[in-house]
Amino acid sequence: MQVLSVTPEIFPLIKTGGLADVTGALPEALAGLGVGTRSLVPGYPVVMSALKKKKAVHLYTALQGGKAALHAAEIGGLDMLVLDAPHLFDRPGGPYGDATGADWQDNWRRFAALGRVGADIAAGVVKDYKPDIVHAHDWQSAMTLAYMRYGEAAKVPSVMTVHNLAFQGQFGASIFAGLGLPQQAMALDGIEYYGGVGFLKAGLQAAWAITTVSPTYAQEIRTPAFGMGLDGLINLRAAELHGIVNGIDDDIWNPETDKHLAATYTAKSLKGRKANKRAIEERMTLDRDDGPIYCVVSRLTWQKGIDILASIIDPVVASGARLAILGSGDAGLEGALLAAAARHRGRVGVVIGYDEGLSHQLQGGADGILIPSRFEPCGLTQLYGLRYGCVPIVARTGGLADTVIDANEAAVAAGVATGFQFAPENAGDFHHAILRANALYADPAAWASLQRQGMKADVSWDRSAQKYAALYRMLLSKRDA
């Protein structure tokens, strides 16, 4: 079975969040199940620089305003198709915007081109390659399925994965003329969305199957509170909706071999975590003592509940805990955290930005990780925490609810607890969860048992890859029926 994965990001080449980790790790997990994956990605500068040997397998004389080439390559063990369109992707900044964070005004054109090429590949434009399944990820890839629906690849089964419904790719109706789709596509059952064009909506409408990245999130997005205006469509397609929790690359995220750590360790011997904790104290300028350190590795946004965290920092510090925070995002939230660090020197450390190595260090040395998200489709940092014995303290929502077992009295007694849950958007319950963690931390044997139980959890891609493979097989059966 051959799957074409269409994605705007893929680790280790280009990453802004968990999407890249998924699209980078899932192909290897699927390979063990007899599923081959080719990944189509935009030719951003960082991607083009990684192409040591490129082979043009198709040329475009005019693709959304310029010439383009499609290159086949193997990069880091990944089977890749790279869309080299300099007029669309060869520019400084991030994949979606400039260095200031402002979105590129032609993002509709850039990712329509990606979708057009994905549909062309599905139709067989690459010699000796025609995928059995096309799997699109998030709004940037969603138009692939619309172009397939109204083009030559309508009979190729497709999957649309929603990593975060909050990001939808909405544009004005004026762009329709530039998409190259038939007039019938600009309809309620096509790509039209509240009078404009909706890229993600188009993908959800056209996909043979829809997946989200956790079972709970799959149910949450059927409600007005989480559906972001798309809950009506999602409920209409509920029979095609599947929740498959993400996994992580447990070769990259492995405390036994992680070169980012000051000391490696295993679940049997957690002693190495102490050296990592001391390294965090030094890096984050925290007081050295035996109390708990709770880390945060996150985008600093409203969705992630960082304002809720900021509101309880003072009582958390008063409880004896220290905080080590890594992330960037909303300027106001960055300022609130930096102000807290200034108020509590030695007790709160903040690094604005993203540092892959430091994120590993924090998981390897902090006692717990705080994740107060208002909604969380899956979440990966809690999975890293489980893998590293960094106890997750999470809001009870989406994938966080699916992957962390609350350390209530019964779960602790049964030896199955892996972390702490609290009610979303509730600062009091969040604070209480931290106090519960403090109390268990005061019992070293009980805390070590909690860590080891988390480290036993299967957070790899194995089970999830099996579910994707089963979904693919079901769609092929449907095609052949």
Side-chain angles (χ1 to χ4, degrees):
M1 186 192 312
Q2 293 296 318
V3 174
L4 174 67
S5 172
V6 186
T7 176
E9 302 178 26
I10 190 165
F11 183 83
L13 294 176
I14 182 75
K15 172 181 174 177
T16 67
L19 165 63
D21 290 316
V22 174
T23 56
L26 183 55
E28 182 179 356
L30 287 169
L33 301 173
V35 178
T37 304
R38 289 189 102 171
S39 299
L40 170 65
V41 299
Y44 309 116
V46 67
V47 175
M48 296 306 299
S49 66
L51 288 180
K52 305 302 181 186
K53 293 182 180 179
K54 58 184 181 180
K55 176 185 177 184
V57 292
H58 189 71
L59 299 175
Y60 289 88
T61 56
L63 179 69
Q64 286 293 349
K67 294 181 179 181
L70 186 62
H71 298 289
E74 182 177 314
I75 306 174
L78 294 166
D79 186 1
M80 307 278 289
L81 290 167
V82 178
L83 175 55
D84 181 14
H87 62 294
L88 299 174
F89 302 115
D90 186 11
R91 54 185 71 174
Y96 317 123
D98 61 25
T100 70
D103 286 349
W104 300 114
Q105 292 301 302
D106 62 344
N107 272 345
W108 72 268
R109 189 181 299 279
R110 301 168 77 225
F111 295 108
L114 181 68
R116 167 65 77 182
V117 173
D120 288 347
I121 297 168
V125 77
V126 175
K127 185 179 179 181
D128 298 327
Y129 177 71
K130 191 170 183 180
D132 300 298
I133 300 280
V134 173
H135 190 159
H137 296 268
D138 270 352
W139 76 263
Q140 298 93 335
S141 307
M143 286 298 289
T144 304
L145 309 191
Y147 284 116
M148 289 170 61
R149 177 185 179 186
Y150 297 104
E152 298 177 13
K155 295 184 179 180
V156 178
S158 60
V159 178
M160 180 75 241
T161 292
V162 179
H163 295 265
N164 191 334
L165 197 66
F167 303 102
Q168 299 183 5
Q170 293 178 254
F171 304 97
S174 61
I175 76 162
F176 179 74
L179 294 176
L181 286 167
Q183 188 60 44
Q184 70 198 68
M186 192 59 178
L188 183 61
D189 67 349
I191 72 170
E192 186 272 334
Y193 187 50
Y194 291 103
V197 173
F199 278 34
L200 181 60
K201 188 262 185 179
L204 294 173
Q205 193 81 58
W208 288 38
I210 299 166
T211 71
T212 68
V213 289
S214 72
T216 293
Y217 191 61
Q219 297 308 308
E220 289 176 340
I221 63 173
R222 297 180 63 185
T223 68
F226 292 90
M228 305 290 178
L230 286 166
D231 48 292
L233 171 58
I234 292 166
N235 277 301
L236 285 173
R237 304 222 58 203
E240 290 80 45
L241 179 64
H242 308 265
I244 302 176
V245 73
N246 282 338
I248 64 173
D249 189 326
D250 54 5
D251 289 328
I252 293 173
W253 290 91
N254 184 351
E256 295 184 44
T257 59
D258 194 332
K259 294 181 180 179
H260 295 297
L261 301 182
T264 56
Y265 59 94
T266 67
K268 290 183 178 179
S269 177
L270 296 168
K271 291 180 181 179
R273 297 195 96 259
K274 185 172 291 186
N276 295 320
K277 189 170 183 176
R278 297 302 174 230
I280 291 172
E281 290 168 343
E282 183 174 342
R283 174 72 186 273
M284 306 293 280
T285 320
L286 295 175
D287 295 339
R288 182 169 179 171
D289 63 43
D290 294 324
I293 293 177
Y294 299 121
C295 72
V296 175
V297 182
S298 177
R299 286 186 291 113
L300 306 180
T301 64
W302 177 89
Q303 180 214 323
K304 297 295 185 179
I306 301 303
D307 57 316
I308 304 170
L309 169 67
S311 74
I312 65 166
I313 285 180
D314 292 351
V316 167
V317 170
S319 75
R322 292 162 291 164
L323 298 176
I325 301 169
L326 169 65
S328 63
D330 181 86
L333 294 176
E334 290 180 358
L337 297 176
L338 290 169
R343 284 198 311 274
H344 301 289
R345 296 191 185 280
R347 311 305 297 176
V348 178
V350 176
V351 172
I352 300 298
Y354 185 73
D355 183 320
E356 185 77 15
L358 180 56
S359 72
H360 284 245
Q361 291 174 31
L362 291 171
Q363 297 280 13
D367 299 291
I369 182 164
L370 307 179
I371 311 176
S373 302
R374 284 182 164 85
F375 62 94
E376 194 62 69
C378 178
L380 293 176
T381 52
Q382 86 278 12
L383 303 182
Y384 302 146
L386 291 170
R387 177 82 163 132
Y388 278 59
C390 183
V391 176
I393 302 172
V394 305
R396 192 180 303 109
T397 186
L400 302 176
D402 290 330
T403 54
V404 176
I405 300 173
D406 183 68
N408 57 59
E409 188 173 347
V412 170
V416 296
T418 59
F420 298 85
Q421 293 188 2
F422 58 90
E425 293 193 77
N426 188 319
D429 204 31
F430 183 18
H431 182 213
H432 180 63
I434 294 173
L435 294 180
R436 288 198 291 138
N438 287 351
L440 200 65
Y441 178 83
D443 182 340
W447 189 261
S449 177
L450 186 67
Q451 290 176 297
R452 290 191 173 98
Q453 187 62 28
M455 294 177 77
K456 283 165 54 179
D458 181 5
V459 295
S460 73
W461 271 107
D462 292 347
R463 284 187 298 176
S464 298
Q466 290 171 8
K467 292 181 179 179
Y468 276 114
L471 177 61
Y472 297 154
R473 287 193 293 270
M474 182 270 289
L475 293 179
L476 291 178
S477 297
K478 183 178 179 181
R479 179 199 65 183
D480 298 333

